[in-house]
Structure formats: structure tokens, C-alpha cells
């Protein structure tokens, strides 16, 4: 797992790819903005994911 600083940078820089990986669907810009407002920190958002979603997000972060 990346460091907290790396997670913050990845989350804010690549929220679209992380959300696609977690939820397996596309999101509009408004939805991505709402996610960043609701979960300003990566760890807060990551905690809401189930095991399968976390595995998919981890794979994106590793690559």
C-alpha cells in the first residue's frame, strides 16, 4: 500500500480511475467532485469500500 502522501496525490490526481476500478462504471465530473467533497482524504473513501472493491483499487495503485 502506498504512503498516505502518495494516496492523497493519487486520489486527487486519479479519482476517475480509482472510482472506475472500485465501482466498475464511469462517473461524470459532478459525481467525482461530490466524492472529493464527501471524502477529502483517500483513507476516508477507502474505508467505505468492500473487500472486492479494495482489491481492484489496490491493483490500480500498484500499477
Amino acid at each position: 500500500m502506498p504512503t498516505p502522501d502518495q494516496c492523497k496525490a493519487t486520489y486527487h490526481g486519479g479519482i476517475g480511475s480509482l472510482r472506475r476500478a472500485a465501482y466498475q462504471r464511469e462517473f461524470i465530473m459532478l459525481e467525482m467532485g461530490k466524492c472529493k467533497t464527501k471524502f477529502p482524504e483517500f483513507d476516508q473513501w477507502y474505508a467505505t469500500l468492500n473487500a472486492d472493491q479494495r482489491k481492484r483499487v489496490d491493483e490500480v495503485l500498484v500499477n
Side-chain angles (χ1 to χ4, degrees):
M1 188 70 179
T3 67
D5 287 341
Q6 289 171 321
C7 287
K8 288 178 188 177
T10 302
Y11 179 68
H12 290 291
I15 182 73
S17 62
L18 295 176
R19 295 197 77 199
R20 272 192 302 279
Y23 305 116
Q24 298 183 321
R25 76 174 185 88
E26 295 284 335
F27 288 86
I28 62 172
M29 292 301 292
L30 180 62
E31 290 173 313
M32 288 189 271
K34 285 181 180 179
C35 182
K36 286 196 275 188
T37 301
K38 186 174 182 179
F39 304 110
E41 300 295 329
F42 174 86
D43 293 346
Q44 296 170 345
W45 174 73
Y46 189 82
T48 67
L49 304 178
N50 65 33
D52 289 337
Q53 292 169 330
R54 287 181 185 191
K55 182 179 177 191
R56 290 193 297 270
V57 169
D58 289 347
E59 289 173 2
V60 171
L61 291 172
V62 169
N63 292 329

